[in-house]
Amino acid sequence: MMAAAGASGRRILACDDELQILRALKLVLRSAGYEVRTAATMEEALDALALWPVDAAIVDLLLPDGNGVELCRRVREWSAMPIIVLSAIGEEEQKVRALQAGADDYITKPFGPQELVARLEAVLRRASPDPGESVLRAAGLEVDLAAHAVRRDGEELHLTPTEFELLSVLVRNRGRLMTHRALLSEVWGHEYADEVTVLRGQIANLRRKIEPPKGSRKHYIRTEPGIGYRFDPK
Amino acid sequence: MRNGVVFILLRGRRPPLVAGLAVTFVLVSICTALVYPLKQLTTVSSLGVVYLLGVVVISTFWGLWLGVLMSVLSAAAFNFFHLPPVGRFTIADSRNWVALGAFLVVALASSSVSELARARAAEAVRRRAEADLTAETAQLLLERAGVEDALASIGRRLAAAFELPWALVALGETSGDSRREALALSAGEARVGTLVVPAGLQGSVVSRLSERVVPALAALLQVALERERLVAEAVQTESLRRSDAVKTAVLRAVSHDLRSPVTAMITAGAAVRAPGVTPHERDELGGLVVEEGTRLSRLIDDLLDLSKLDAHAAVPRLAECSVEEVIDAALAAQPADSMVEVRVDPDLPPVRADFAQVERALANLLENATRYSEGKLVVVRARSVGGWVVIRVVDRGPGIPAVDQARIFEPFYRAPGRTPNVISGSGLGLAIAKGFIETNGGRIRVESVPGQGSSFVVALPAIVEPEP
């Protein structure tokens, strides 16, 4: 079910003060082919990270001797490793702060094993990007970077250059949470990093063009309230 | 007429003394002149009466002392001009001495009676003004929502009635100083407030204030404060009663809705470990644990949200939101097989709201709609209507009878007579939706025609001019 060849040997640190959840995380990650270390406090996590270099960390927002936000900040002082924070409903503010402090993504409890592994793979992909892909394909959508062309189920779609740029950034980072700032910096440049309204307008236009005309659900671009967008085809 | 005179008496105070003297001389002259024609009709000695009218007028308007002056002058003029021998102050006939003496006595008596009447009338008017003031104070104190609001108006009325530059009614104790005099307002033992007036007022005004106004004001203030306390208590009792009702409902839900998934999970967990369980059965049992656990988790989230809303602790994090994005996010949370069609006006203005809260509200409405529409299409429409963004979630389910429409947003309220297997929600979804929409400054209501379907209407205040 979760056979992930690419995961074999990758090392993950899981940090949560609830032992039952740690046990479950360990089981899920091991069966997906990862090597797992666990920590129950922030200090333990920092010690483990110093001694045992990892490829990514999964960190709970609430820890007995600190919180995920602080942990993210401390890890970011010396490492760019992908970090996923675990949040519960009602911890939205903490979650946003963790993302600002350098977390790459979040996952809301309770979560399924597939969801967790998919998120983990997405952030790890960022850590080692695919070399020079020129045509990106996802769920019926085809983005031809070289030819600047987009097709949905073989049908050519007409995007403006900005929309195309936005779409290709999202598709290159598929599955990953892209913050408003990240998208704005990459597509418009750093000086536009706070122009969320501009981004929102372009996303609305892009969605109108790429999402199937009838039906309700957005298949490709998901909104992450107050944070950003995610290309996550269903 | 009497009212008019009385009004002049009080309002105009006493006319100036100089005018009094002038009027006295004029009246004496007029009366003296009047006696000439009357002398032809009756005996002179009985005509002293003519002067009495003047005496009454003068003493009424200018008081006792000018009245006495008028009496003496009248007696002198009567004697000099009319009592024989005319043109001299001597009197020939001893009977005329009696007449003159009697006139003087009557004149002086009527002077003092007039003065008394004048004082009485003035007093009556003051009393009435004080009674009016008390009535007005009572009305202000008891009609207004807050005692403190009423105090400013009472101070103004009081100052107007006593012709003071200002007057102030304060709650609790306030001390006077060189410019202000503080009169304690006490009801029984308790000090309820203070009447503060400018220092250096006339003694009569201060004694009138402290004798006539302070006791009534203190009593009224105490009643008003007591009433305010009782109203606050009643409000608190009512909200306690209501939260008691919610708690009872929560307990009922806990005993059933929380316990049944836990029971199922424990049973399934135990069954997995039983010998001879096939892999297929194990898979099924695992699925059951996940399903029931998810249900439990949802219910706990709902209870948490509701208790936060109930305690006004669900403070929205307001930010500019695109309604289209909120609807999309709410839709993403629905099961993949739900039939929902979205129609959003292209030029919809953004709203200022907490994205996550509005998303939860809409997700609950969508879930409710898909649950009751039994596979028929649910339509979500969003339009801009005069400063509001109006979102309608329309289902073609069985509809809601009018009697239930008012109660449908209450926690744990379920319309009676529904088949239990249709209902699988926590019974909190609509209450939470209403709570979150209203916390974000929006409105929510339901329109329904039984047999045809329901439409939940959410209105959120639009940001009219979007940020550039």
Side-chain angles (χ1 to χ4, degrees), chain B residues 195-456:
Chain B
L195 171 61
V196 187
V197 291
L201 293 177
Q202 278 183 11
S204 63
V205 175
V206 175
S207 67
R208 256 177 72 208
L209 278 172
S210 52
E211 279 165 27
R212 317 273 336 148
V213 175
V214 164
L217 188 57
L220 280 171
L221 200 55
Q222 196 207 15
V223 171
L225 287 172
E226 179 73 2
R227 198 189 67 136
E228 198 170 56
R229 195 179 59 78
L230 287 175
V231 168
E233 219 165 73
V235 168
Q236 203 186 1
T237 312
E238 171 60 17
S239 69
L240 278 178
R241 197 190 60 72
R242 279 194 47 205
S243 85
D244 267 358
V246 172
K247 275 182 204 132
T248 313
V250 168
L251 280 178
R252 255 206 317 273
V254 166
S255 64
H256 176 260
D257 295 17
L258 285 182
R259 194 182 280 157
S260 58
V262 172
T263 312
M265 282 155 72
I266 293 171
T267 313
V272 168
R273 300 159 90 187
V277 174
T278 65
H280 174 73
E281 281 167 340
R282 202 174 57 209
D283 197 45
E284 213 168 277
L285 289 167
L288 192 84
V289 172
V290 170
E291 206 174 284
E292 293 297 296
T294 308
R295 212 173 106 193
L296 189 60
S297 165
R298 281 283 313 272
L299 186 56
I300 289 168
D301 290 341
D302 280 357
L303 285 170
L304 201 69
D305 281 341
L306 194 71
S307 68
K308 269 197 212 154
L309 283 167
D310 212 36
H312 302 288
V315 183
R317 295 191 304 137
L318 298 179
E320 190 185 317
C321 302
S322 142
V323 173
E324 195 172 0
E325 288 190 352
V326 183
I327 294 173
D328 287 343
L331 218 54
Q334 304 302 312
D337 59 345
S338 38
M339 297 275 290
V340 183
E341 188 187 308
V342 180
R343 290 184 221 149
V344 177
D345 271 8
D347 299 323
L348 209 57
V351 294
R352 183 165 298 283
D354 183 315
F355 194 110
Q357 290 185 349
V358 177
E359 179 199 330
R360 288 266 287 138
L362 292 181
N364 285 358
L365 293 182
L366 278 168
E367 196 188 320
N368 184 75
T370 45
R371 182 181 308 134
Y372 285 105
S373 65
E374 292 161 336
K376 284 180 230 129
L377 186 70
V378 171
V379 179
V380 180
R381 268 195 316 234
R383 293 193 302 141
S384 163
V385 182
W388 296 80
V389 171
V390 178
I391 306 161
R392 282 172 173 270
V393 178
V394 186
D395 67 59
R396 282 193 273 158
I400 305 152
V403 282
D404 293 325
Q405 285 178 19
R407 300 191 58 195
I408 197 158
F409 292 107
E410 288 175 18
F412 298 107
Y413 184 76
R414 279 164 181 156
R418 293 281 170 81
T419 42
N421 63 343
V422 176
I423 301 154
S424 57
S426 65
L428 298 175
L430 293 180
I432 290 169
K434 181 180 162 71
F436 277 148
I437 292 299
E438 288 178 354
T439 304
N440 281 276
R443 300 182 199 147
I444 186 169
R445 67 192 153 84
V446 65
E447 293 168 359
S448 183
V449 181
Q452 292 187 29
S454 308
S455 169
F456 285 86

Side-chain angles (χ1 to χ4, degrees), chain A residues 89-90 92-93 96 109-110 195 197-198 200 203-204 207-208 215-218 222-226 229 234, chain B residues 297 301 304 308 317 320-322 324-325 328 331-332 334-336 338 340-342 346 355-356 359 467-468:
Chain A
I89 280 187
E92 270 79 13
E93 205 147 338
V96 172
K109 292 181 193 175
E195 303 287 337
T197 315
V198 173
R200 203 174 275 138
I203 290 277
R207 276 176 164 161
R208 251 166 238 138
S216 50
R217 199 169 299 267
K218 300 293 182 266
R222 260 174 59 187
T223 305
E224 295 288 351
Y229 298 93
K234 288 228 166 106
Chain B
S297 165
D301 290 341
L304 201 69
K308 269 197 212 154
R317 295 191 304 137
E320 190 185 317
C321 302
S322 142
E324 195 172 0
E325 288 190 352
D328 287 343
L331 218 54
Q334 304 302 312
S338 38
V340 183
E341 188 187 308
V342 180
F355 194 110
E359 179 199 330
E467 287 162 28

Side-chain angles (χ1 to χ4, degrees), chain B residues 35-53:
Chain B
V35 175
Y36 283 106
L38 294 172
K39 264 200 289 199
Q40 317 300 321
L41 307 172
T42 179
T43 54
V44 172
S45 55
S46 61
L47 284 172
V49 139
V50 172
Y51 291 93
L52 279 181
L53 198 67

